[in-house]
Amino acid sequence: MGPPSSSGFYVSRTVALLLAALAVALLLALLILAGLYGHCPRAGQVEPCSSGVPDAAPSPPPGAEEREPTPQSSPAPEPKVPTPSHDQRPPGPWDQLRLPPWLEPLHYDLELWPRLRPDALPAHRLRFTGRANITVRCVAATARLLLHSLFLRHELPAVRGPLSPGARDAAAGRVPVDDVWFAEDTQYMVLELGEALRARWPLRAAAQVRGPGVRGGQEGLFLNVYTDQGERRALIASHMEPTFARNVFPCFDEPALKATFNITIIHHPSYVALSNMPQLGQYDRTDINGSNWTVTTFYTTPPMPTYLVALAVCDYDQVNRTERGKEIRIWARKDAIANGNADFALNITGPIFSFLEDLFNISYPLPKTDIIALPVFDNRAMENWGLLMFDESLLLLQPSDHLTDKKTLISYIVSHEIGHQWFGNLVTMNWWNNIWLNEGFASYFEFGVINYFNPKLPRNEIFFSNFLHGALSEDHALVSRAVSMKVENFTETSEINELFDSFTYNKGASMARMLFSFLNEHLFISALKSYLEAFSYSNAEQDDLWRHFQMAIDDQSKILLPATVKSIMDSWTHQGGFPVITLNVSSGVLKQEPFYLGKVENQTLLTHNGTWIIPILWMKNGTTQSLVWLNKSSKVFPEMQVSDSDNDWVILNLNMTGYYRVNYDKLGWKKLNQQLEKNPKVIPVIHRLQLIDDAFSLSKNNYIEIETALDLTKYLAEEDEIIVWHAVLANLITRDLVSDVNYDMYPLLKKYLLKRLKSIWNIYATIIRENVAALQDDYLALISLEKLFATACGFDLEDCLQLSRELFSKWMNHPKEEIPYPIKNVILCYGIALGSDKEWDFLLDVYTNTTEEEERIQLAYAMSCSKDPWILNRYMDYAITGSPFTFNETNVIEAVAASEVGRYIAKDFLISNWQGVSKRYGPQSLVTLIYIIGRTVSTDLQVMELQQFFSNMLEEHQRISVHAKLQTIKNENLKSKKQSARIAEWLRKNI
């Protein structure tokens, strides 16, 4: 094992034994040797599954395992132990989501044996066996033991103890186990004992299990089948967060119940086994069939929750480097390693670790870090201590990625997972209601780390794009949840999984950033250092974090707060939604109110009674002002008043560090608009972006008039920042505004925007033509260019159409000359729309010879951009007949129907082909097509005509739901027409 950490502690095997001997009077040892366990069969599977089997002897010695079933044989059915139903069993602790506080785990000895063999690769499922020995401390006397166990089959455990100091298993007495049963809805295994366990009794128990378990799903142990070096291969990996460890071994599966782990993996000799800690040793093992296996053991982990237990069994290569004496290895397919695809991630990982070690003055406590790139990992990435797992698309950099945002994306995700080594792994939230302490701070520091290494990145604009915009777009007072929820709000395990959403990540990161904004860097970091040191290898509540921030505040006198840190931050984390603050610049009155979707329409539903303690950083006439606080519903700030001077204006929420939107009275908006038209560069980029985003959101939800938001766009001919343009186009070029529902507005909007668009267009069209490589480090351009090009070509800007022809033709003639990735979707679409069957057939041929799913989807949608009816009809015919190609990734009929031309062609195609469409894509696809084709309905007559058209295609229950949905679409379109009429009137006055 590696050297002990300079901070914290590491328990070696020898030290652990000495400590156990000294503290034996405090320990309760519960040894569960599980034999024959695995997932119960799902629907459609025929393999028997039992809740438990009779008591068994201790596990056999190596080489004496029972004979493996041959491929032609099936395991014999196992006797079942009845599981009481929820109605039959008596009320008890098994009815609660949380474990009773009777036992505290201290150590697991875990052995797993997945039967993965290179000469017999499974298609979907693989059997595994294993043992789990759990050492626990008894806190309260009990005659019942509860452990988490889901889809596992167990033999009846035999409990032994109490142990005497230094005694081995055999020296302990036997505690009778009268019954084992399972509370499946709460995922417990319940052991009914023949005598009560007393507090501080040290005990042990033994049993053995076995069964099928590794499947294609990604909960617990899972299987990836992939191709490498032209061969079909497979690997096994684990994902235990949040509550999937119980799918693999019986355990105390809650984050506060930390323990150390000794992990052993039995695997085929041709594979490598990885786990949280470095390899301790290996030896050979032969089963009864004469097959050879390798047993790999690993060093003891630090105390950690079950959700961080990790293992992988794979046939991978690796690249490595040493950072501050600790090895970092990145494992991936042999092809990927040979091609250098892992080199970028390897080169950034060590410096990120070093940066965070220096920032917190806490060394990374493990002696090594393995990072594995999985062919398919639906969870994107996972921070397991010592064995981080990534979907390979988020870790490996391909040569073709130089003009994508992939390099920046990999940097952010690697930084996020490394940040978890402190926030989550070293210090873990006490329970899942505070998961934002893990994810929010890891998200915040991913942003901080990358900006440290790339100081030229526009940090405020990137935070807005990556975190803040998404959070504000989804959050509002009526339906949002609090970032930190009450424990008693949770009644089902599924509710824990639902916490991994944008509120936890994006809003959580925004909370951390706002906290930073009203302190300073020294206070912020010193408080986090104190928090991490105090709770290392332990667990914390949100209040623990606030207490350490308060300690930092109390130790200085420069920064004064209007309330305690807890009071301030609780007002944000314990209630959903966010405030809109409105400044009257004439009187200086500032007020707050909850943000609602459709404020006027929902007046009768306004039930949000809370207020926030709001930090307000602001600027006046371009100069930063002192921080003020709005800690009640309204307050007067005379310093925020403006005069009649043309140069007098105020912007609140400096750098958008506060989690709220800002509104002004008519004079306040007028002053800002005047300054934009006079000299927009006086207002920083982040605030030009803020003004557009806030104004359009507020107008959409009836806080201000749409004309107020539109006034802010008059200056756009002078706007050369693409991220600001992206915000403008995202709000104006929407399907509900730019469609033939609003045919009278479209030409006006086209004329208005093209007049202002040409400047920003010329900048990037020149770069594309002359030096496209200059885009590779321009993150904001990489994420914004597609919208800009789609708008320019959609408005028939001749230079955009010509550039599309040039790039598509160049690619056709020289396929190695790739279309620049940021605009590839647009170029492919307009290359087809402006071309003939020659271009379409070329794209079909490319599609045929492409195996990468993402590219096939891109090509399939591009082929639907044709404006020739006969090409689109042929395309749809190909799709439903499967000839010549299947188009499995895309519903081609839906793709065709999505365009203005294709909508009518798809409708006509359905008259004679609806049965083929239903057979190919399923009956529900017809319902979806109705919604796509009917997206412009605005009268009852149109609704009726569409229903009659589709009536013979639908079942009765579908007709009812379709009628309701079409009525909703009609009402939304009528509302959109009213809005577009006002926009059209404004455009007429301002073109």
Side-chain angles (χ1 to χ4, degrees):
M1 79 178 181
S5 171
S6 61
S7 64
F9 65 92
Y10 179 82
V11 182
S12 68
R13 185 182 295 266
T14 302
V15 174
L17 290 173
L18 290 173
L19 291 174
L22 292 173
V24 67
L26 301 175
L27 300 182
L28 166 68
L30 173 62
L31 178 61
I32 300 176
L33 297 178
L36 294 180
Y37 61 92
H39 295 274
C40 292
R42 309 283 186 169
Q45 298 173 352
V46 297
E47 187 161 357
C49 178
S50 62
S51 300
V53 295
D55 200 2
S59 61
E65 288 77 15
E66 66 182 83
R67 184 175 301 274
E68 296 287 323
T70 64
Q72 291 78 25
S73 66
S74 299
E78 300 168 4
K80 295 185 178 181
V81 174
T83 297
S85 71
H86 184 77
D87 294 333
Q88 294 172 337
R89 69 185 187 226
W94 41 80
D95 297 321
Q96 305 302 314
L97 188 62
R98 303 289 299 276
L99 281 163
W102 301 336
L103 304 173
E104 295 178 355
L106 299 172
H107 179 76
Y108 292 76
D109 285 299
L110 178 62
E111 177 186 281
L112 294 170
W113 186 354
R115 302 307 202 274
L116 181 64
R117 301 162 55 103
D119 57 347
L121 295 182
H124 302 291
R125 189 177 68 184
L126 183 74
R127 196 166 54 84
F128 77 93
T129 62
R131 306 184 184 100
N133 306 341
I134 313 174
T135 302
V136 303
R137 174 186 291 116
C138 187
V139 177
T142 177
R144 291 190 180 101
L145 302 182
L146 270 68
L147 292 166
H148 284 112
S149 177
L150 183 64
F151 304 139
L152 300 181
R153 296 184 295 189
H154 302 263
E155 293 185 0
L156 198 61
V159 180
R160 296 184 180 275
L163 301 177
S164 56
R168 303 187 66 82
D169 290 0
R174 183 181 179 105
V175 177
V177 179
D178 292 348
D179 191 16
V180 177
W181 58 276
F182 293 81
E184 293 181 354
D185 49 344
T186 47
Q187 304 177 356
Y188 291 131
M189 176 174 68
V190 182
L191 282 68
E192 304 280 1
L193 304 180
E195 65 181 82
L197 305 179
R198 298 178 187 173
R200 297 189 297 176
W201 260 21
L203 305 169
R204 285 183 181 166
Q208 193 173 321
V209 277
R210 175 182 207 186
V214 182
R215 304 173 188 271
Q218 298 188 349
E219 299 177 358
L221 293 185
F222 62 90
L223 186 70
N224 265 194
V225 179
Y226 62 98
T227 300
D228 192 11
Q229 297 181 323
E231 298 179 357
R232 182 174 176 269
R233 302 185 183 184
L235 63 78
I236 287 172
S238 65
H239 181 69
M240 309 297 191
E241 188 184 36
T243 58
F244 304 136
R246 65 193 68 176
N247 295 31
V248 181
F249 58 98
C251 56
F252 296 86
D253 201 13
E254 293 186 5
L257 300 178
K258 290 186 172 184
T260 55
F261 289 79
N262 279 354
I263 296 174
T264 298
I265 302 174
I266 305 173
H267 56 95
H268 192 274
S270 65
Y271 292 120
V272 64
L274 304 172
S275 189
N276 303 84
M277 297 298 289
Q279 179 181 309
L280 173 63
Q282 279 189 335
Y283 59 89
D284 295 331
R285 184 170 184 169
T286 304
D287 64 24
I288 194 89
N289 298 316
S291 298
N292 295 321
W293 299 87
T294 296
V295 180
T296 299
T297 60
F298 299 89
Y299 281 97
T300 308
T301 71
M304 66 182 192
T306 50
Y307 81 82
L308 291 178
V309 170
L311 63 98
V313 177
C314 61
D315 180 18
Y316 267 8
D317 276 349
Q318 51 94 10
V319 289
N320 64 81
R321 64 178 284 176
T322 300
E323 184 80 10
R324 296 184 175 179
K326 297 181 179 182
E327 187 176 34
I328 297 170
R329 300 182 296 185
I330 297 190
W331 298 82
R333 305 187 204 209
K334 297 176 186 292
D335 282 340
I337 294 297
N339 293 333
N341 302 147
D343 294 348
F344 174 74
L346 179 68
N347 291 334
I348 65 174
T349 297
I352 293 171
F353 267 108
S354 297
F355 171 78
L356 290 174
E357 283 186 328
D358 294 341
L359 184 67
F360 301 129
N361 196 29
I362 298 176
S363 296
Y364 174 65
L366 272 63
K368 64 90 177 178
T369 298
D370 285 314
I371 301 178
I372 186 169
L374 303 176
V376 178
F377 189 42
D378 294 341
N379 298 284
R380 293 171 54 90
M382 180 60 200
E383 67 269 17
N384 308 303
W385 227 352
L387 179 54
L388 288 72
M389 297 186 180
F390 288 73
D391 187 283
E392 64 179 23
S393 67
L394 301 175
L395 187 70
L396 305 181
L397 192 66
Q398 307 293 334
S400 59
D401 288 331
H402 67 287
L403 279 180
T404 72
D405 60 345
K406 181 66 72 67
K407 183 183 292 186
T408 306
L409 179 64
I410 291 172
S411 300
Y412 278 125
I413 295 180
V414 170
S415 298
H416 180 99
E417 303 308 328
I418 294 176
H420 273 308
Q421 309 308 300
W422 287 265
F423 291 94
N425 298 7
L426 184 65
V427 178
T428 311
M429 73 278 151
N430 194 51
W431 204 63
W432 298 107
N433 63 312
N434 277 319
I435 183 61
W436 87 272
L437 295 177
N438 286 18
E439 300 298 349
F441 277 88
S443 296
Y444 175 75
F445 279 105
E446 81 178 62
F447 153 80
V449 168
I450 299 308
N451 277 276
Y452 172 82
F453 288 109
N454 301 275
K456 292 184 179 180
L457 285 175
R459 55 186 295 140
N460 293 317
E461 291 82 355
I462 289 179
F463 189 91
F464 171 86
S465 299
N466 288 10
F467 300 107
L468 186 58
H469 179 263
L472 291 174
S473 297
E474 294 186 24
D475 203 2
H476 57 95
L478 287 180
V479 300
S480 72
R481 66 169 180 84
V483 170
S484 178
M485 302 176 68
K486 295 181 179 179
V487 173
E488 56 268 24
N489 287 352
F490 294 84
T491 58
E492 297 182 5
T493 305
S494 60
E495 294 172 339
I496 297 173
N497 295 305
E498 294 169 2
L499 294 175
F500 293 82
D501 61 10
S502 66
F503 294 109
T504 291
Y505 289 81
N506 297 343
K507 188 172 181 177
S510 300
M511 293 297 99
R513 182 168 177 255
M514 183 168 62
L515 179 61
F516 177 92
S517 73
F518 64 77
L519 301 177
N520 58 42
E521 184 173 6
H522 173 73
L523 271 179
F524 185 79
I525 298 301
S526 64
L528 289 178
K529 285 180 182 178
S530 174
Y531 166 77
L532 291 171
E533 289 169 356
F535 295 98
S536 289
Y537 307 100
S538 186
N539 298 79
E541 301 274 5
Q542 176 175 278
D543 284 355
D544 297 319
L545 179 62
W546 303 151
R547 186 169 65 254
H548 281 265
F549 272 100
Q550 191 63 50
M551 289 163 53
I553 292 292
D554 293 344
D555 285 343
Q556 54 84 57
S557 58
K558 184 177 180 180
I559 294 178
L560 301 176
L561 302 179
T564 63
V565 173
K566 173 178 168 55
S567 297
I568 294 169
M569 295 307 297
D570 280 358
S571 76
W572 294 92
T573 62
H574 283 327
Q575 62 179 335
F578 63 88
V580 175
I581 62 172
T582 301
L583 172 64
N584 185 310
V585 298
S586 298
S587 63
V589 172
L590 190 61
K591 68 175 183 177
Q592 63 165 292
E593 60 183 313
F595 176 81
Y596 292 95
L597 293 181
K599 176 187 175 186
V600 175
E601 295 176 6
N602 289 326
Q603 287 289 357
T604 59
L605 300 176
L606 303 188
T607 57
H608 192 294
N609 297 318
T611 57
W612 291 263
I613 303 177
I614 306 173
I616 300 175
L617 288 162
W618 59 295
M619 67 166 56
K620 190 170 188 178
N621 306 330
T623 302
T624 300
Q625 307 295 309
S626 299
L627 170 71
V628 297
W629 291 87
L630 180 61
N631 54 3
K632 50 187 178 180
S633 58
S634 66
K635 194 172 181 179
V636 179
F637 294 94
E639 63 271 32
M640 293 184 181
Q641 292 176 309
V642 300
S643 67
D644 293 334
S645 168
D646 292 341
N647 298 319
D648 214 7
W649 51 271
V650 170
I651 287 181
L652 307 186
N653 198 8
L654 189 67
N655 293 324
M656 296 189 76
T657 54
Y659 187 72
Y660 50 87
R661 292 199 182 276
V662 182
N663 190 11
Y664 304 90
D665 64 345
K666 289 185 178 181
L667 179 60
W669 285 114
K670 180 181 178 182
K671 291 281 189 179
L672 291 168
N673 182 47
Q674 288 174 342
Q675 183 57 51
L676 286 172
E677 292 194 69
K678 180 180 180 181
N679 183 4
K681 296 300 177 71
V682 172
I683 298 177
V685 176
I686 185 61
H687 290 297
R688 304 202 299 271
L689 179 61
Q690 174 200 13
L691 291 173
I692 294 294
D693 193 65
D694 278 354
F696 276 99
S697 176
L698 293 172
S699 67
K700 180 180 178 181
N701 292 288
N702 305 314
Y703 286 83
I704 62 175
E705 304 294 338
I706 182 61
E707 293 82 359
T708 302
L710 291 169
D711 283 341
L712 297 175
T713 68
K714 292 179 183 178
Y715 86 99
L716 284 174
E718 306 299 320
E719 182 57 76
D720 57 4
E721 293 290 342
I722 195 167
I723 188 64
V724 180
W725 266 105
H726 187 270
V728 172
L729 299 179
N731 281 287
L732 285 179
I733 310 303
T734 60
R735 181 171 290 279
D736 59 336
L737 290 180
V738 184
S739 69
D740 39 352
V741 173
N742 301 312
Y743 56 86
D744 56 338
M745 188 200 72
Y746 180 81
L748 297 170
L749 183 63
K750 174 181 174 179
K751 186 175 182 180
Y752 177 80
L753 284 180
L754 278 180
K755 182 179 179 181
R756 290 159 175 80
L757 192 69
K758 289 181 180 179
S759 176
I760 189 74
W761 165 260
N762 289 335
I763 291 172
Y764 285 97
T766 300
I767 292 173
I768 293 290
R769 286 188 167 105
E770 298 180 1
N771 184 24
V772 70
L775 293 173
Q776 61 184 335
D777 295 320
D778 190 343
Y779 176 75
L780 295 179
L782 292 174
I783 64 175
S784 303
L785 270 175
E786 182 174 340
K787 189 68 174 179
L788 175 65
F789 269 65
T791 301
C793 285
F795 281 162
D796 299 320
L797 180 64
E798 183 53 40
D799 193 47
C800 184
L801 300 178
Q802 181 58 34
L803 184 56
S804 296
R805 293 188 191 96
E806 292 173 8
L807 293 175
F808 194 95
S809 177
K810 184 178 180 181
W811 177 56
M812 279 186 67
N813 296 324
H814 306 282
K816 291 186 179 180
E817 298 281 345
E818 283 284 339
I819 299 170
Y821 184 86
I823 58 173
K824 187 173 182 179
N825 284 329
V826 179
I827 302 304
L828 289 176
C829 184
Y830 282 92
I832 293 296
L834 299 169
S836 64
D837 57 330
K838 177 184 176 182
E839 285 77 14
W840 198 94
D841 289 341
F842 168 78
L843 210 61
L844 181 62
D845 185 61
V846 175
Y847 173 92
T848 306
N849 294 288
T850 298
T851 58
E852 206 277 315
E853 182 178 357
E854 182 179 352
E855 186 175 359
R856 286 170 67 88
I857 293 172
Q858 186 179 49
L859 296 170
Y861 274 100
M863 285 187 279
S864 73
C865 293
S866 175
K867 296 183 179 180
D868 288 335
W870 73 270
I871 289 179
L872 293 177
N873 274 291
R874 183 182 65 169
Y875 187 28
M876 291 187 287
D877 189 61
Y878 283 169
I880 66 170
T881 61
S883 174
F885 309 109
T886 57
F887 303 98
N888 286 329
E889 306 84 5
T890 307
N891 186 317
V892 168
I893 318 300
E894 291 180 10
V896 170
S899 71
E900 295 303 322
V901 173
R903 175 155 50 98
Y904 303 101
I905 298 169
K907 183 179 178 182
D908 291 341
F909 181 83
L910 284 173
I911 294 175
S912 54
N913 296 282
W914 67 269
Q915 290 174 318
V917 173
S918 179
K919 181 178 179 181
R920 176 69 178 83
Y921 295 111
Q924 184 59 33
S925 67
L926 296 174
V927 175
T928 304
L929 278 166
I930 295 174
Y931 302 153
I932 295 174
I933 292 171
R935 65 181 179 270
T936 62
V937 296
S938 58
T939 68
D940 289 330
L941 179 61
Q942 290 173 324
V943 170
M944 184 179 67
E945 289 175 344
L946 201 60
Q947 284 183 285
Q948 290 175 345
F949 178 83
F950 281 98
S951 62
N952 67 318
M953 306 180 193
L954 302 177
E955 300 291 338
E956 179 60 32
H957 71 280
Q958 292 177 316
R959 294 190 191 102
I960 296 172
S961 61
V962 162
H963 177 76
K965 177 66 174 180
L966 289 176
Q967 287 293 332
T968 300
I969 294 173
K970 181 200 74 173
N971 293 333
E972 290 174 349
N973 285 337
L974 289 174
K975 179 182 176 182
S976 175
K977 276 191 170 184
K978 292 179 181 178
Q979 182 82 322
S980 67
R982 294 183 62 174
I983 296 174
E985 182 61 27
W986 185 93
L987 289 169
R988 290 188 186 96
K989 294 177 181 177
N990 290 279
I991 286 178

